[in-house]
Amino acid sequence: MITYNTDGVKMPNIKKRETTAWIRAVAATYGRKVGEIGYMFVNDDKILEVNREYLGHDYYTDIITFDYDEDDVISGDLVISLDTVRSNAEGLQKDYDEELHRVIIHGVLHLCGINDKGPGEREIMEAAENCALAMRKQ
């Protein structure tokens, strides 16, 4: 089950049923099933608070992924700052909706085992994001 909630922000304009089907399809390409995934859309103040409290990081980010996977079933809580998504979209001169969906799937890709912190991993993540975004448009 995939849930979508907000804390301090308006629910983004996403098609939940289509987004859920897309997330399941992307997970399946990695041989994974979807368990419990909870999206929480927040503002920058809230994501900074979560980053400090749970990760000891003192900076803003677009997404924080808490991974509760078991075997081939992906589960987790994904906290997304809509403020940071918007500022990133503007800075990259990208469409906000596309950037939001890139971040939504970024967390799922983390749950599927793709990392982006080590040498060469960022490029692998970007390629996976682009592939997943192409699946959304079909």
Side-chain angles (χ1 to χ4, degrees):
M1 175 182 223
I2 301 174
T3 58
Y4 305 89
N5 296 289
T6 63
D7 183 354
V9 296
K10 184 176 163 249
M11 180 62 74
N13 187 21
I14 58 173
K15 295 177 180 162
K16 294 177 189 170
R17 200 170 278 141
E18 286 178 22
T19 301
T20 295
W22 172 56
I23 290 167
R24 290 182 190 282
V26 169
T29 66
Y30 292 92
R32 304 295 183 95
K33 295 179 188 136
V34 172
E36 299 287 327
I37 295 178
Y39 282 94
M40 179 62 71
F41 299 102
V42 302
N43 58 28
D44 271 351
D45 290 340
K46 183 65 177 178
I47 204 147
L48 181 60
E49 177 186 315
V50 170
N51 219 358
R52 286 174 175 159
E53 182 175 343
Y54 294 97
L55 302 176
H57 299 160
D58 192 23
Y59 53 81
Y60 299 101
T61 187
D62 50 3
I63 185 169
I64 297 173
T65 303
F66 296 98
D67 185 338
Y68 313 129
D69 291 358
E70 290 186 27
D71 301 318
D72 66 341
V73 178
I74 61 170
S75 296
D77 289 321
L78 294 90
V79 184
I80 296 176
S81 170
L82 297 179
D83 293 338
T84 299
V85 169
R86 183 166 306 285
S87 61
N88 286 349
E90 290 168 1
L92 297 168
Q93 298 179 333
K94 300 275 186 181
D95 176 71
Y96 171 76
D97 184 62
E98 179 155 343
E99 185 64 16
L100 176 59
H101 283 84
R102 179 179 296 277
V103 173
I104 286 170
I105 210 63
H106 180 94
V108 170
L109 293 169
H110 273 308
L111 296 177
C112 289
I114 299 174
N115 296 312
D116 60 356
K117 300 289 187 226
E121 290 179 339
R122 182 68 217 148
E123 293 79 6
I124 293 167
M125 175 61 85
E126 286 179 13
E129 290 169 351
N130 290 337
C131 186
L133 287 168
M135 288 175 64
R136 179 176 164 255
K137 294 174 183 166
Q138 293 176 350

